[in-house]
């Protein structure tokens, strides 16, 4: 499926099929980190816990002066009606060819393939960037839904990182 990348107000927007990923600025991330909707309509009224945590990472990176546009948090939005169903993004800019992704869905959006779609779009965009050769992800051992997302996208499990299961992706399945 074709991935369309554009910019809206300086923010990266990735669109693929039913999904739109809209980058959240550090100011928007600060609102999300506080559990506020940040001018988005959320399926469950407010962003989920994982999304607020990821937003805090974007805010911290901005405050530390290491935030790089395109490599932070994105709202996962249903293209058909503009409703936000979760958050997904990068744990920071590429480092030595690798970048790490994460994702979180609102409770009402789980089980409908949104995390798989979001992870696939993020990975496709990242692997098209010249500074990225591998995308990383981790899960807790008991998080079978997240492991299934990674496997559907094409990630391969590699050596664990402490208590977490680690996965790598170097190319997308066609």
């Amino acid at each position: 499926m074709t991935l369309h990348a554009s910019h809206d107000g300086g923010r990266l927007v990735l669109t693929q099929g039913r999904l739109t990923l809209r980058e959240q600025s550090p100011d928007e991330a600060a609102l999300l980190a506080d559990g506020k909707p940040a001018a988005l309509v959320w399926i469950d009224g407010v962003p989920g816990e994982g999304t607020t945590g990821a937003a805090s990472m974007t805010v911290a990176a901005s405050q530390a002066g290491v935030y790089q546009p395109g490599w932070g948090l994105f709202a996962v939005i249903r293209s058909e009606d503009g409703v936000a169903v979760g958050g997904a993004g990068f744990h920071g800019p590429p480092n030595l060819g690798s970048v790490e992704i994460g994702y979180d869905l609102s409770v009402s959006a789980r089980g409908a393939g949104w995390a798989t779609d979001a992870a696939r779009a993020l990975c496709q965009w990242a692997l098209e960037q010249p500074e990225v050769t591998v995308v990383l992800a981790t899960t807790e051992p008991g998080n079978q839904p997240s492991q299934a997302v990674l496997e559907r996208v094409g990630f391969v499990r590699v050596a664990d990182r402490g208590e977490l299961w680690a996965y790598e992706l170097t190319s997308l399945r066609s």
Side-chain angles (χ1 to χ4, degrees), residues 6-150:
S6 62
H7 285 84
D8 179 16
R11 290 176 201 86
L12 179 60
V13 178
L14 303 173
T15 307
Q16 189 171 52
R18 65 185 185 143
L19 172 83
T20 299
L21 296 176
R22 181 174 169 78
E23 182 180 10
Q24 300 298 288
S25 70
D27 289 342
E28 291 164 328
L31 293 171
L32 293 172
D34 288 338
K36 297 176 183 165
L40 294 166
V41 175
W42 289 86
I43 193 169
D44 290 335
V46 294
E49 185 178 319
T51 300
T52 60
S56 296
M57 291 172 55
T58 297
V59 171
S62 177
Q63 291 172 342
V66 296
Y67 170 76
Q68 289 184 27
W71 299 105
L73 174 65
F74 292 75
V76 179
I77 300 171
R78 292 189 308 217
S79 298
E80 68 180 2
D81 60 8
V83 172
V85 297
F90 302 101
H91 291 198
N95 182 17
L96 301 174
S98 70
V99 66
E100 185 170 353
I101 66 162
Y103 40 84
D104 172 65
L105 292 180
S106 297
V107 173
S108 296
R110 293 181 183 163
W114 292 108
T116 299
D117 290 353
R120 185 175 287 118
L122 284 174
C123 291
Q124 183 176 343
W125 181 81
L127 290 169
E128 290 171 354
Q129 308 312 303
E131 64 269 38
V132 175
T133 57
V134 62
V135 180
L136 310 172
T138 59
T139 71
E140 294 177 352
N143 191 343
Q144 293 172 339
S146 187
Q147 293 157 19
V149 164
L150 296 172

